[in-house]
Amino acid sequence: MDKAALAGALGSPSAFGQSQFALTRGNAFEAKVKADGGAELLRLVHARLDPAAEPPHEAAVPDLSATGPEVRTARTALALREATGAPGTWTLLDHPMLALDVAGSPAFLEPDAVVVHPDGSWTVVEIKSFPMLDGSADPAKVGAAARQAAVYVLALEEVAARLVDEETPAPRVRHRVLLVCPKDFSNLPTASAVDIRKQRAVTARQLARLTRVQDIADSLPEGVCFAPDLPPAELTAAVESVQAAYAPECLAACELAFHCRDRSRAAGAVTALGRPVRAELGGLTTVDDVLSAARGESGDPDDPAVAALRRAAALRAEALAAAGRDITLATTGVGVAPCR
Amino acid sequence: MTAPAFDPGTAATRATDAILHDTLYGTHRGVVVDSPPGAGKSTLVVRAALELADAGRPLMVVAQTNAQVDDLVLRLAEKNPELPVGRLHSSDADPYDTALDDLPQVRKSAKAADLTGLPVVISTAAKWAHVTVDEPWRHAIVDEAYQMRSDSLLAVAGLFERALFVGDPGQLDPFAIVGSEQWAGLSYDPSASAVTTLLAHNPDLPQHRLPVSWRLPASAAPLVSDAFYPYTPFRSGTDHGDRRLTFAVPSDGSGPDRVIDEAASSGWGLLELPARHTPRTDPEAVRAVATVVRRLLDRGGAAVSERSPDPAPLTADRIAVGTAHRDQAAAVRSALAELGAADVTVDTANRLQGREYDVTVVLHPLSGRPDATAFHLETGRLCVLASRHRQACIMICRAGVTDLLDDYPSTEPVQLGTVVKFPDGWEANHTVLAHLAEHRVSLRP
Amino acid sequence: MSLIATLARLEAVSTGRARPAATVRHRRLSDRPLVFVPLTTAGEAGAPLGALAGTDRDAPRLLVVPQPRDRDLRFAFLAELSDVVLPYVDSYAESVEAAERTETDPETGKRVKVEVELCADAPQLIVPSHAGVEFVRLLGRSMRFRRTVEQDPEAPYPAPPRVPLLGRWLTHFGERARVPGSSLLLAMTELLARHWATGQSGLEDQHLGALLAWIDPPAGETGAEAALRAELAREEGQLVCPPAGPATDPAFDNKLLAPAIERYDRARTALAAAEDGLQADDRLGELTAAERQIHDLVLSRTLPTWEKVWAGIDLLRALPEGAHVEERWTRDRWSFTGHRDRVLAGEPPQPRRDDAVTAANKLATREREQARLEAQEALDDPLVMAGRRLAGEAFAGEVVDVVMAYSEGKRPSPRPLVTVRTDDRPHLGERAKVYRSLGGKPQSAEFAGYEGEGLVVLRILDKMGRGKEPEAGSVPETGDRLCFTLFEHEQRGGAKLPDPEETPWTHGGPPGEAAPETPDTVTEEDVL
């Protein structure tokens, strides 16, 4: 589903998209990391994750190209089986394809690389273009990379489980992945091992839950269809029927967030102001309900949320009165010049 | 082949002997001891202190709070009333427990110089940080070392040559009131726990753990161990049937009485209120907590344990209520006062650390919340609340917390180079809830 | 978020305008701040695209890197930036006043007072948003280990002379900005969000245009409408209100900037290949035009933000300064003077990572400053105090009774009992200490009990003079309206940590002789 196109058709186009500068740089960096049969990448895997193993002087780089995700997935599984069955060698799988069962249907995933160690264990490699500066990197971006890698690890574990037969146990999928980034202000690669056990546990649980509720799609009314060329009213109605719990964090993550925000604001939902806002409001969920409770026009005074609101309103009014004036009057009233 | 029967007493003695051996005769500068809830940490500290004193090695003891310091002084005095002990205290008003005034062998002073030459000197980390010495102590014991911050250890580590570090890794982590991200991943991150830094710089130090919880009953140890100590499991020192909780007055069939009976028979009880978003001081939940406590007192409870084969009455001092927030504790206190049960301890997880009761009643940190913040998900908070009891623990909670957890998967940022704290609160919460669900009693107020 | 702040946001939603979140200004605003509006290149670490900078709102200096991936052009930008920033910094370094500082005498080990210089005022950098603060830090980091030809004739790709020094100063500004309540480097969005509550979330408040739209919407428009326009309105595919940076909008990069840079690259290649003077002249003309176009593009994306930062300064200047702001600014002046002295003394640049002792000292300072800030903001601003009262950390009320009492002992001192009637609900434990401000100094009292619903009895403990009878005006009188806090007004100094060379074994032992930090490895290709 193309969420950006859908958002545009709903009348709330999003600001998503990627700068071609970032794209170019990202591709160039990945190519540099994987140059010479992945020599540098394998060196980093060896140094950071498996220093006791034989250094990777030469490595197998099987050809995984094929048409169609199903065929590529099969090729990947085959290559993994072969690599695992050849102890003592390093194998680099460049852009393998993995399938993960999400709520009953396969989702195809393409990690940047998977490395098979001489001991037959597998490592997920993520190549990112944000820098590692003095050994640390933007924690939000590392967190996102870890969650992404956790999904690959789960998918690999499914592949590994299928390789079991009477003689061979399932290959080990390592729970420390390798994150490769440019070093400081250069385009030279550096890497850090990231423990993804937490993210893996969370993702596994989320996936199990999706399967349990048989996918969001199943909970939708029959005949719902998200096609951007539907008339806006129909489209809006279709999207409304999906229970979306909008919160401001969505803005950074989803193309449809501006649309959801419009709806959330129109409904007067307090969560449009951020999830923490709701923490002290108890059962009050709309702006009008809260303000009217604070003014003493509604609400049960024995409800601690209502009582606290009234005390807060009284204290706030007292403080503003003590300050002697309403501060908003101090603004120009003319308005900051709109952008030209 | 059958495994030899696990004898908790032997296992614990073996562990303690090894710890004392390393402490007294080992070559390393430090010894680290992990102690799960109720595993006899204080007993170990007191014993180690006495043996070091016996061996004629001047000893300083570092604890984290004044209450912990005073408690240690009293325990030492109980074991050896002859041993001269120095209690170094602050110059604030009421700096120490007045019970210390009754002990002639305990010298108290705000100046370290006044206590020179005593075999044992005890104080808080904060006070020790202001002490300077020409000659360091031969030995130190650092108590609650997992609750001590790395920078706090930095301030006192110059005072001793070698040390025994004892603490519970599962309890609440120390925290900073400002951001400390810029040091994340550094071995000496000042906001990390003292043990984290110590082991990062001295990975070869002997590490021991106390394998037996003498507090937690056989019904509780497996859950607490699985949920909070998956890599360092421990056992209960007592077996099923060694402890028993009975009530003279039979159940009146109400929710509170039914959950009390469930907890009395299984060690756990969950009193579940209908799902609803509530303020922190949810009046229905607060009332439910107070009612359960009132009924515990009214029903003539009696506890049998290895300590007292004769049933000991379940009195107000053997019951505690635990909450996440101070205002919740205040609300429960006033509800209890209305029911005439004001003498039952009500406190937050932070303040209940290290304490022990027969029965605890806990207002679940996530009950009624519309969101799950890092504070509420912190592993240590739930661990403290779920591990204070000798007989039974009763949780009061709104329905829907499992869904809340699923809506708030941990999407925490990740700092490169930091050791992942395991298990994380999200998963531990799920584990505990899944277990409690088997002991659920629904309440429709 | 406190319930009072939540209410203010909800009021903003319903009135369509931001509501006050403070009644005084809690940060220093310099009379002559240096505003810095940088842009960066997507996907590159520390490759600036351009900036507007300066102290004169009507005459910003435009700095542009026409090809951000070209090292020489980046250096030219940084050299120009140092021409703007360093003279500004220097102008504050010269005017000093005499001050006293307590130092440890290296001979005797005693604490002695020494007379030192303190800069009479300090520079102030203002950037549009928090991302701007991060970018200042990044620029500082990228420059301070560079080598100039003077420092190292062999250095590959030597930096222009004053660039490493600029790096050290920007690093200092960036590091100081982590200290709560400091004002050497400020982000306009954070300043505005501290003083006004909008009808949107804190996340959306990071958009300078949207934030200002709520605080001061154009006539006839609500804050919500104006903010939405600021966030999303586009003309010909471009945002009408460009992001405050340093990141640019991808649509701008792809549709406008990329073609302009390509044109520039082509023109440069063509000029290099020119075969004679006449052809070179022509091609130089094209290169100049191409460069002009990039300049115009950068200006078009920075000027709106520049104007907004100044509009924000206007709004903030209209607020009276909080009473304790001057004291905190003095700490900023100490910080500035200290760095000036380190630079003058020829000390090396700040290391990449702090040692154990420095990190612990910084954390201790910041925690102390955080506590100080929270106390001072509450004392300076009734609206902040209202939040503390709601949280049970302070209470206000009227004195209804005063009973004289004395301490026991040989020399009885006054310990008057004061009964205060309050509607607040402070969390008072047994003998809890409380404080009130008496002539700018805290007077402490202890909670002696309740005398009935809402009647708090306090025992006053100090600030009453040395005599048997309290000094005039030192004891509250019936009818006084007072505010007591459960938190302390002043912060105690922390424990002294060991010197770095005495780092204990628990923390890795002494770090050893400080090796000079090596310069960063660089990409060999001239163009990244």
Side-chain angles (χ1 to χ4, degrees), chain B residues 87-118:
Chain B
R87 165 63 163 109
L88 179 63
H89 59 75
S90 74
S91 34
D92 292 345
D94 311 320
Y96 58 86
D97 189 338
T98 47
L100 269 50
D101 288 331
D102 301 334
L103 303 172
Q105 77 278 23
V106 176
R107 197 188 300 167
K108 300 160 294 276
S109 175
K111 290 202 184 85
D114 295 344
L115 307 173
T116 319
L118 291 176

Side-chain angles (χ1 to χ4, degrees), chain B residues 31-35 41 45 62-64 68 125 141-150 152-153 163-169 172-174 192-198:
Chain B
V31 175
V32 177
V33 178
D34 286 7
S35 168
K41 182 171 64 65
V45 168
V62 184
Q64 307 310 313
Q68 288 165 2
I141 295 178
V142 180
D143 195 9
E144 300 291 2
Y146 283 93
Q147 274 72 60
M148 182 183 200
R149 243 170 44 180
S150 171
S152 187
L153 177 61
L164 170 65
F165 297 85
V166 186
D168 180 349
L172 288 160
D173 286 331
S193 102
V195 180
T196 305
T197 293
L198 175 77

Side-chain angles (χ1 to χ4, degrees), chain C residues 259-335:
Chain C
I261 291 180
E262 271 167 38
R263 177 183 166 197
Y264 174 83
D265 284 345
R266 272 198 313 274
R268 221 160 50 144
T269 315
L271 177 60
E275 283 164 2
D276 55 51
L278 202 62
Q279 203 177 23
D281 271 357
D282 267 5
R283 292 183 181 180
L284 183 63
E286 166 57 16
L287 182 65
T288 314
E291 203 174 333
R292 181 83 258 149
Q293 189 191 359
I294 298 175
H295 275 245
D296 290 348
L297 282 174
V298 170
L299 184 64
S300 73
R301 301 303 119 163
T302 46
L303 193 57
T305 306
W306 170 269
E307 283 165 354
K308 285 191 168 55
V309 172
W310 286 100
I313 292 176
D314 285 342
L315 288 167
L316 287 157
R317 280 195 175 136
L319 286 173
E321 188 176 88
H324 284 94
V325 171
E326 178 73 38
E327 188 207 313
R328 292 199 297 274
W329 179 246
T330 303
R331 289 170 204 279
D332 281 323
R333 285 163 52 206
W334 278 111
S335 161

Side-chain angles (χ1 to χ4, degrees), chain A residues 18-20 25 134 185-187 248 261 265 273 280 290 316 318 325 328 331-333 335-336 339-340, chain C residues 1 10 17-18 20 43-44 141 199 203-204 216 228 231 240-241 253-254 258 307-308 320 352-353 389 523:
Chain A
Q18 205 183 6
S19 164
Q20 67 180 67
R25 157 97 168 179
D134 298 333
F185 302 99
S186 72
N187 64 355
R261 186 179 71 174
R265 283 182 175 173
L273 296 170
E280 292 188 74
V290 175
R316 182 171 159 77
E318 182 194 322
R325 66 212 172 91
T328 40
T331 58
T332 65
V336 174
C339 295
R340 278 164 277 186
Chain C
M1 201 184 317
L10 297 181
R17 244 191 125 112
E44 308 273 349
R141 169 63 186 78
L203 218 61
E204 289 149 315
D216 201 7
L228 192 65
E231 283 179 323
V240 174
C241 177
D253 284 9
N254 298 342
E307 283 165 354
K308 285 191 168 55
R352 283 180 169 79
R353 312 218 68 171
R389 288 166 63 190
T523 299

Side-chain angles (χ1 to χ4, degrees), chain B residues 149-150 177 182-183 188, chain C residues 175 354 366-367 431 507:
Chain B
R149 243 170 44 180
S150 171
I177 62 166
Q182 81 182 107
W183 303 295
Y188 45 74
Chain C
E175 203 58 8
D354 293 324
R366 289 177 201 170
E367 287 194 301
R431 297 187 67 188
H507 288 63

Side-chain angles (χ1 to χ4, degrees), chain C residues 24-356:
Chain C
V24 296
R25 177 159 41 76
H26 291 289
R27 297 291 181 278
R28 169 54 67 96
L29 267 189
S30 162
D31 295 337
R32 197 168 67 95
L34 181 93
V35 174
F36 179 44
V37 180
L39 291 184
T40 188
T41 312
E44 308 273 349
L49 169 64
L52 278 182
T55 54
D56 181 348
R57 100 190 267 173
D58 298 321
R61 175 99 165 253
L62 175 68
L63 313 174
V64 177
V65 190
Q67 170 48 281
R69 298 165 73 205
D70 181 316
R71 195 188 330 262
D72 292 337
L73 296 175
R74 279 207 305 278
F75 275 159
F77 167 91
L78 297 174
E80 258 191 280
L81 184 62
S82 59
D83 287 344
V84 178
V85 177
L86 291 178
Y88 171 73
V89 169
D90 288 343
S91 70
Y92 288 91
E94 284 147 21
S95 164
V96 294
E97 58 191 40
E100 272 189 346
R101 196 170 54 197
T102 315
E103 282 182 359
T104 309
D105 187 304
E107 301 278 309
T108 62
K110 290 217 173 90
R111 303 285 285 164
V112 288
K113 291 227 189 279
V114 273
E115 186 140 308
V116 290
E117 282 185 351
L118 173 61
C119 291
D121 201 359
Q124 179 174 59
L125 251 60
I126 300 182
V127 293
S129 64
H130 182 74
V133 173
E134 291 293 340
F135 193 68
V136 166
R137 237 171 242 144
L138 192 74
L139 279 181
R141 169 63 186 78
S142 77
M143 286 187 275
R144 69 180 193 264
F145 302 119
R146 294 272 187 209
R147 297 286 162 90
T148 61
V149 177
E150 292 76 40
Q151 289 170 316
D152 178 5
E154 305 287 297
Y157 319 111
R162 309 235 291 160
V163 162
L165 182 61
L166 177 65
R168 296 175 64 177
W169 273 111
L170 292 189
T171 300
H172 186 72
F173 279 103
E175 203 58 8
R176 182 69 191 168
R178 299 191 206 258
V179 176
S182 68
S183 297
L184 281 192
L185 168 60
L186 293 169
M188 184 48 71
T189 48
E190 291 176 341
L191 271 178
L192 292 172
R194 171 67 195 84
H195 296 89
W196 281 275
T198 66
Q200 59 186 3
S201 71
L203 218 61
E204 289 149 315
D205 280 350
Q206 292 175 26
H207 189 297
L208 180 58
L211 178 58
L212 274 169
W214 273 101
I215 297 171
D216 201 7
E221 221 177 355
T222 66
E225 289 159 358
L228 192 65
R229 210 155 42 81
E231 283 179 323
L232 292 177
R234 285 178 188 270
E235 276 170 20
E236 294 173 21
Q238 296 300 320
L239 285 169
V240 174
C241 177
T248 48
D249 177 29
F252 166 74
D253 284 9
N254 298 342
K255 299 259 170 60
L256 300 179
L257 187 60
I261 291 180
E262 271 167 38
R263 177 183 166 197
Y264 174 83
D265 284 345
R266 272 198 313 274
R268 221 160 50 144
T269 315
L271 177 60
E275 283 164 2
D276 55 51
L278 202 62
Q279 203 177 23
D281 271 357
D282 267 5
R283 292 183 181 180
L284 183 63
E286 166 57 16
L287 182 65
T288 314
E291 203 174 333
R292 181 83 258 149
Q293 189 191 359
I294 298 175
H295 275 245
D296 290 348
L297 282 174
V298 170
L299 184 64
S300 73
R301 301 303 119 163
T302 46
L303 193 57
T305 306
W306 170 269
E307 283 165 354
K308 285 191 168 55
V309 172
W310 286 100
I313 292 176
D314 285 342
L315 288 167
L316 287 157
R317 280 195 175 136
L319 286 173
E321 188 176 88
H324 284 94
V325 171
E326 178 73 38
E327 188 207 313
R328 292 199 297 274
W329 179 246
T330 303
R331 289 170 204 279
D332 281 323
R333 285 163 52 206
W334 278 111
S335 161
F336 170 68
T337 311
H339 191 63
R340 178 200 73 152
D341 294 346
R342 282 190 291 277
V343 169
L344 284 176
E347 286 187 25
Q350 302 93 328
R352 283 180 169 79
R353 312 218 68 171
D354 293 324
D355 60 60

